[in-house]
C-alpha cells in the first residue's frame, strides 16, 4: 500500500507542474501521505493565511484525489453537509450534501474552520472519524459506509486571543494534527517569489516588515501579518503599485482600524521598504 502511495507520488510529481504551488515547511507532506494511507482524519491547526488550504489543495493533487471544500461558518449545520430534500416541480427529491458526496465517491472532504460550524456538524462526523467509517443519514434512515478513498480533513484556528471558538478535546482527539505557523524568513521569501514573481530583494523586505510587526505583541492585534497578506502586497507591487502604498493597503490596513496604530505601522513600514 505504501508503495502505491510512493508510486502515486512519483507519478503525480510530473503533474505538479500544473498543480497548486506549495512549499513544504516541515514534515507535513510525509505526515499527510501516511495519514491518507491509514485514512486517519487530519487536522490542520494554525492562524489564518499560513497555507493550510493551499496545503490540502496541493496534497489532493499530489495524491490524485478529488477535493471537496466546505468553508464552515456559524450557520453551517449537519443538514448542509449531509443533504436535504428539495422541491423540484411537483416532487421532493433528495440532494446529497458535500459530506455525503465525498463519503460515497471517495473524495477528500476539507472542513475549513470546523470550530465555526454548529455543534451538530461535529456529531454528524463522529462515526466517520473512528473505525466505523460510516455516515448516518437520519432523514433517509440510511447508513452509508465510506468509500475506501474517503478522507476527512479539517482546519482550526487555535486563536490564542479572545473571540476564537475552541474545539473540544474529545473532537480534537479524533484527528492526527499538524500545526501551521508563519514560515521562517527564507522560506517565506521563496514563497513570495514563487507566488508572485516579485524580486528576491523586495520579497525579503516584505518578510522583514512582517516579522517586525509579528514581534510587536504589545499592539494586541487579534491576528498578525499572515503570508497571505504578504502575497497580496507582493502582487500589488508586481502590478505596478508603489511599494509603500502596497504595504499600507495590503499589510497594515487589514490588521487594524485603530488610526494611531495604522499611522505608526505605516511609518515603520515606510522606513523598511
Ligand atoms: P489558510 O488556509 O491557512 O488561511 P491559505 O492556504 O489560503 O491559508 O494561504 C494563503 C496564501 O499564502 C496562499 O494563497 C499562498 O499564496 C500563500 N502560502 C502560504 N503558505 C504557503 C506555502 N507553504 N507554500 C505556498 N504558498 C503558501
Amino acid at each position: 500500500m505504501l508503495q502505491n502511495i510512493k508510486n502515486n507520488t512519483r507519478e503525480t510529481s510530473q503533474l505538479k507542474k500544473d498543480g497548486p504551488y506549495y512549499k513544504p515547511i516541515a514534515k507535513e507532506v510525509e505526515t499527510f501521505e501516511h495519514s491518507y494511507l491509514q485514512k486517519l482524519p487530519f487536522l490542520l491547526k494554525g492562524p489564518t493565511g499560513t497555507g493550510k488550504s493551499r496545503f490540502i489543495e496541493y496534497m489532493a493533487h499530489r495524491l490524485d484525489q478529488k477535493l471537496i471544500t466546505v468553508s464552515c461558518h456559524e450557520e453551517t449545520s449537519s443538514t448542509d453537509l449531509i443533504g436535504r430534500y428539495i422541491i423540484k416541480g411537483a416532487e421532493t427529491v433528495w440532494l446529497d450534501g458535500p459530506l455525503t458526496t465525498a463519503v460515497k465517491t471517495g473524495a477528500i472532504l476539507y472542513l475549513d474552520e470546523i470550530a465555526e460550524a454548529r455543534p451538530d456538524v461535529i456529531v454528524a462526523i463522529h462515526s466517520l472519524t473512528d473505525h466505523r467509517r460510516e455516515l448516518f443519514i437520519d432523514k433517509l434512515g440510511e447508513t452509508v459506509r465510506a468509500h475506501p478513498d474517503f478522507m476527512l480533513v479539517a482546519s482550526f484556528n487555535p486563536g490564542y486571543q479572545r473571540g476564537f471558538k475552541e474545539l473540544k478535546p474529545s473532537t480534537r482527539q479524533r484527528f492526527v494534527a499538524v500545526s501551521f505557523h508563519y514560515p521562517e524568513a527564507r522560506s517565506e521569501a521563496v514563497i513570495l517569489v514563487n507566488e508572485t514573481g516579485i524580486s528576491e530583494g523586495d520579497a525579503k523586505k516584505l518578510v522583514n516588515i512582517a516579522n517586525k510587526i509579528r514581534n510587536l505583541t504589545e499592539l494586541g492585534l487579534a491576528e498578525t501579518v499572515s503570508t497571505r497578506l504578504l502575497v497580496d502586497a507582493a502582487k500589488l507591487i508586481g502590478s505596478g503599485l508603489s511599494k509603500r502604498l502596497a504595504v499600507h493597503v495590503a499589510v497594515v490596513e487589514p490588521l487594524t482600524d485603530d488610526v494611531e496604530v495604522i499611522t505608526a505601522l505605516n511609518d515603520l513600514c515606510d522606513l523598511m521598504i
Side-chain angles (χ1 to χ4, degrees):
M1 265 281 264
L2 181 58
Q3 198 53 40
N4 286 349
I5 286 254
K6 286 191 174 146
N7 290 341
N8 199 348
T9 305
R10 221 177 295 129
E11 276 163 30
T12 51
S13 62
Q14 289 154 350
L15 288 174
K16 219 192 116 216
K17 280 197 187 81
D18 46 44
Y21 164 70
Y22 178 76
K23 178 168 174 36
I25 302 300
K27 299 269 185 213
E28 68 275 28
V29 172
E30 199 180 328
T31 308
F32 189 91
E33 281 178 347
H34 283 277
S35 302
Y36 175 75
L37 189 63
Q38 299 301 329
K39 297 300 173 318
L40 294 171
F42 203 90
L43 185 65
L44 315 175
K45 300 191 294 178
T48 184
T50 44
K52 300 185 294 299
S53 302
R54 179 61 65 86
F55 170 69
I56 188 62
E57 284 163 19
Y58 169 79
M59 289 310 305
H61 189 269
R62 189 174 160 105
L63 296 167
D64 202 14
Q65 287 302 302
K66 189 166 174 238
L67 175 67
I68 300 177
T69 298
V70 177
S71 299
C72 300
H73 51 81
E74 52 207 14
E75 296 299 323
T76 306
S77 67
S78 59
T79 302
D80 296 328
L81 296 189
I82 294 174
R84 51 166 51 92
Y85 280 106
I86 56 160
I87 298 169
K88 210 171 178 188
E91 284 176 278
T92 49
V93 289
W94 173 258
L95 196 67
D96 282 343
L99 174 62
T100 309
T101 304
V103 164
K104 286 182 179 170
T105 61
I108 296 175
L109 182 81
Y110 177 44
L111 296 177
D112 196 7
E113 298 288 355
I114 189 174
E116 293 294 324
R118 288 186 10 193
D120 62 346
V121 165
I122 307 291
V123 176
I125 61 171
H126 247 217
S127 54
L128 282 167
T129 53
D130 54 34
H131 64 281
R132 290 172 286 173
R133 280 179 57 84
E134 57 188 31
L135 173 68
F136 179 59
I137 307 180
D138 57 348
K139 291 199 176 88
L140 299 178
E142 264 176 34
T143 299
V144 183
R145 277 195 78 78
H147 185 288
D149 290 342
F150 168 76
M151 183 178 179
L152 184 70
V153 181
S155 78
F156 164 60
N157 183 345
Y160 305 104
Q161 318 267 342
R162 272 174 296 124
F164 286 92
K165 290 194 183 157
E166 259 304 331
L167 206 53
K168 280 201 277 178
S170 55
T171 305
R172 303 163 67 109
Q173 291 198 16
R174 292 176 168 268
F175 292 84
V176 168
V178 166
S179 284
F180 283 69
H181 303 286
Y182 307 115
E184 50 87 26
R186 226 170 324 146
S187 297
E188 198 164 34
V190 169
I191 292 170
L192 296 186
V193 170
N194 270 287
E195 276 288 280
T196 69
I198 195 177
S199 75
E200 223 179 287
D202 286 343
K204 282 185 183 154
K205 283 181 191 161
L206 287 175
V207 171
N208 284 343
I209 286 175
N211 284 328
K212 185 84 189 170
I213 299 177
R214 286 168 187 160
N215 287 328
L216 296 175
T217 46
E218 63 274 22
L219 291 181
L221 299 169
E223 289 238 333
T224 187
V225 185
S226 66
T227 307
R228 177 187 292 128
L229 294 189
L230 295 186
V231 168
D232 292 347
K235 281 182 179 165
L236 292 177
I237 292 171
S239 164
L241 197 66
S242 91
K243 292 176 193 174
R244 287 182 175 180
L245 184 54
V247 171
H248 291 180
V249 297
V251 178
V252 176
E253 289 282 350
L255 289 182
T256 175
D257 300 318
D258 183 322
V259 180
E260 278 178 26
V261 176
I262 290 177
T263 310
L265 289 181
N266 279 343
D267 291 346
L268 173 74
C269 294
D270 288 351
L271 291 173
M272 297 183 72
I273 197 154

